[in-house]
Amino acid sequence: MNFYDSIKKQDKEVFDALAGEEVREQEGLELIPSENYVSRAVREAQGSVLTNKYSEGYPGKRYYGGQEFTDAVETLAIERAKKLFGAAFANVQAHSGSNANIATYMALLNPGDTVLGMDLSHGGHLTHGHPVTYITKFFNFVRYKMKDPDTSEIDYEEMLRVAKEHKPKIVLAGFSAYSRELDYQKFVDIARQVGAYSVIDVAHIAGLIAGGAVKNPFDYGFDVMTSTTHKTLRGPRGGLILTRESEDIAKRINKAVFPGLQGGPMMHVIAAKAVAFGEAMHPSFKLYAVQILKNAKAMEEVFRQGGVRMLGGGTSNHLILADVFGSLGIPGKEAEVLLDRVGITLNKNAIADDVRGPMDPSGIRFGTPAATTRGFKEGECKRIAELMLEALKNRTDEQKLSAIREEIRTLCLKFPVPDSFV
Ligand SMILES: *Cc1c(COP(=O)(O)O)cnc(C)c1O
């Protein structure tokens, strides 16, 4: 733990929390599909001296002097992001995925304009117009849904009808809890039919796109892609906005991020983004992305054989939504707590048309990006899924639960989180 030498000497309280988290991450099994482990190189960049620097503006056009190295680092991040996703323009300053979305709305909409996005209960994200977010005070959000949660196919006819009725200025694709691929062409066609921008939020699947394991939405003509950099893309916590070809849109997005929404960019995080993008360009990242999908498939198979209903009938990406209440009679919250006790971290999740409330929904959501980073392959993932089902089916058998906990811990210790991926 020499990464923390100075903190250890100087601030015992913070050091203890960091040391505790190190152990938790090494010994526990992380199945939250939005989490991952970054390389030591990414952490070094994020812990670098660039945190000292104010760099308001963009490379070559800053408000303060002393920018030769910040310009170099931001330009590297931009060029790598463009190459990874086939974009003409990239903004790497958005502090988070939420900011990336808000800045995109600000760039493309006037107050009162309408966005057509995925219903939250069917897999969309808070920033796609959940009433608890302030952004809904400024823009109007209307919804599309899945036609049938057991296939996860979007109801594209209804979507077109709603689009024609409400005349959105953005047709928004993308999700946090959806296990299949969208029909990108249909989204872009509907957007064009009503004269809207097509935007896709790939926060969850950016790494799968960069690694070529799933389709690239830009190949279907989306105008803008927003993302996080810390989920499957395996970089520092941050946001990213890509524009396929329009310089006009890209300029408006840059203005919306700064000075519209944010102040000085987090240049240390941008350096870490550049490092992570460099890793994602390495051939090993393609194997990683493909393995994430294979591992999810291996878990899907065990759940299917165990008679557990999965939304969409399974998965085509990195995550699975399982209706544990409907299939095993165990509410999502109880399943989350139970699995946490055996060393498996995942989250309860509402499923489409949930019969239970949002605070204690019917489902659990889990995925393989972090487990795959550890080096787990299909065999380990199959075993983990078996252990999950065993725990869920024997939730009062303390002896069995402690045996499962021990097996999970042993498995994790056998696969330490790596320092480097290239
Ligand atoms: C995670 C996520 C975000 C938000 O990212 P933050 O960095 O947490 O703000 C936005 N959109 C989708 C689809 C997400 O899954």
Side-chain angles (χ1 to χ4, degrees):
M1 234 169 288
N2 54 1
F3 206 83
Y4 304 115
D5 277 352
S6 307
I7 302 177
K8 190 176 180 181
K9 267 188 233 146
Q10 179 181 317
D11 191 329
K12 170 102 172 63
E13 286 158 296
V14 172
F15 173 77
D16 285 348
L18 299 182
E21 176 66 10
E22 287 269 343
V23 173
R24 192 194 70 81
E25 290 189 12
Q26 285 292 353
E27 295 187 2
L29 181 60
E30 188 54 72
L31 291 186
I32 294 176
S34 51
E35 293 191 11
N36 215 330
Y37 307 107
V38 300
S39 69
R40 198 181 166 99
V42 166
R43 289 166 62 197
E44 283 176 2
Q46 197 165 0
S48 70
V49 289
L50 286 169
T51 194
N52 298 334
K53 187 73 195 117
Y54 248 115
S55 318
E56 287 166 322
Y58 289 97
K61 286 167 279 179
R62 307 279 191 192
Y63 285 75
Y64 302 150
Q67 307 288 354
E68 59 259 58
F69 303 110
T70 52
D71 276 5
V73 140
E74 185 168 353
T75 302
L76 276 171
I78 289 169
E79 292 308 317
R80 287 175 184 177
K82 282 160 54 177
K83 200 161 168 202
L84 268 180
F85 293 93
F89 303 94
N91 181 300
V92 296
Q93 291 194 5
H95 294 332
S96 68
S98 298
N99 277 23
N101 286 341
I102 293 165
T104 302
Y105 300 148
M106 287 172 24
L108 302 179
L109 305 174
N110 291 312
D113 282 346
T114 297
V115 178
L116 173 58
M118 171 95 110
D119 192 275
L120 286 314
S121 70
H122 282 224
H125 187 258
L126 283 174
T127 55
H128 299 181
H130 193 286
V132 300
T133 60
Y134 283 112
I135 205 73
T136 56
K137 294 189 198 292
F138 308 110
F139 306 118
N140 176 39
F141 289 84
V142 292
R143 309 261 159 248
Y144 56 85
K145 286 187 171 192
M146 292 183 272
K147 200 173 191 171
D148 173 6
D150 285 303
T151 63
S152 280
E153 199 198 340
I154 304 292
D155 190 344
Y156 292 104
E157 272 169 40
E158 173 66 6
M159 191 177 157
L160 177 61
R161 192 195 62 74
V162 176
K164 283 183 169 161
E165 184 186 333
H166 292 276
K167 301 265 179 296
K169 274 190 57 192
I170 290 178
V171 170
L172 178 65
F175 48 77
S176 298
Y178 184 82
S179 61
R180 295 294 187 188
E181 265 193 296
L182 299 170
D183 188 336
Y184 293 143
Q185 199 61 61
K186 288 219 166 77
F187 277 86
V188 172
D189 288 347
I190 290 171
R192 286 183 183 155
Q193 275 191 58
V194 298
Y197 297 107
S198 50
V199 176
I200 181 162
D201 175 355
V202 298
H204 260 257
I205 58 169
L208 306 179
I209 295 167
V214 301
K215 291 180 282 197
N216 184 339
F218 277 155
D219 292 341
Y220 299 81
F222 272 93
D223 297 310
V224 174
M225 223 190 300
T226 64
S227 186
T228 62
T229 48
H230 50 275
K231 297 181 183 176
T232 48
L233 196 49
R234 207 162 59 183
R237 195 155 287 280
L240 173 68
I241 310 172
L242 301 153
T243 305
R244 183 173 54 87
E245 66 169 23
S246 162
E247 187 169 4
D248 169 55
I249 292 176
K251 278 186 174 158
R252 279 148 67 193
I253 284 171
N254 278 354
K255 267 196 200 154
V257 173
F258 175 83
L261 178 66
Q262 299 182 171
M266 301 204 194
M267 208 44 82
H268 54 308
V269 176
I270 291 172
K273 286 175 186 174
V275 172
F277 298 159
E279 290 173 359
M281 291 164 116
H282 195 271
S284 62
F285 196 83
K286 279 198 163 39
L287 300 177
Y288 168 63
V290 168
Q291 192 64 48
I292 290 175
L293 263 59
K294 286 185 186 166
N295 286 351
K297 274 278 169 212
M299 298 187 82
E300 171 200 300
E301 194 47 43
V302 174
F303 269 66
R304 178 171 304 112
Q305 280 172 9
V308 180
R309 174 181 177 236
M310 287 168 282
L311 276 280
T315 182
S316 313
N317 59 25
H318 61 301
L319 70 81
I320 290 172
L321 271 164
D323 180 3
V324 286
F325 182 71
S327 303
L328 305 171
I330 178 166
K333 192 170 155 190
E334 194 181 330
E336 178 189 301
V337 171
L338 177 77
L339 292 169
D340 204 37
R341 278 181 54 209
V342 300
I344 296 173
T345 311
L346 48 64
N347 61 280
K348 62 177 183 289
N349 214 101
I351 57 172
D353 309 322
D354 208 319
V355 294
R356 302 176 60 86
M359 292 315 290
D360 188 12
S362 297
I364 54 172
R365 184 188 72 151
F366 58 94
T368 52
T372 306
T373 293
R374 283 196 103 110
F376 288 161
K377 298 259 175 10
E378 292 96 315
E380 288 82 26
C381 288
K382 180 167 170 278
R383 184 63 191 145
I384 291 161
E386 287 168 359
L387 291 172
M388 286 168 72
L389 288 186
E390 225 176 288
L392 292 171
K393 288 178 177 172
N394 297 281
R395 54 189 136 146
T396 54
D397 186 340
E398 287 304 322
Q399 218 176 341
K400 196 156 235 159
L401 294 179
S402 66
I404 294 170
R405 179 167 177 87
E406 208 35 52
E407 187 171 340
I408 294 286
R409 212 177 85 90
T410 310
L411 192 62
C412 288
L413 291 175
K414 220 172 112 187
F415 287 83
V417 179
D419 262 351
S420 159
F421 315 120
V422 296

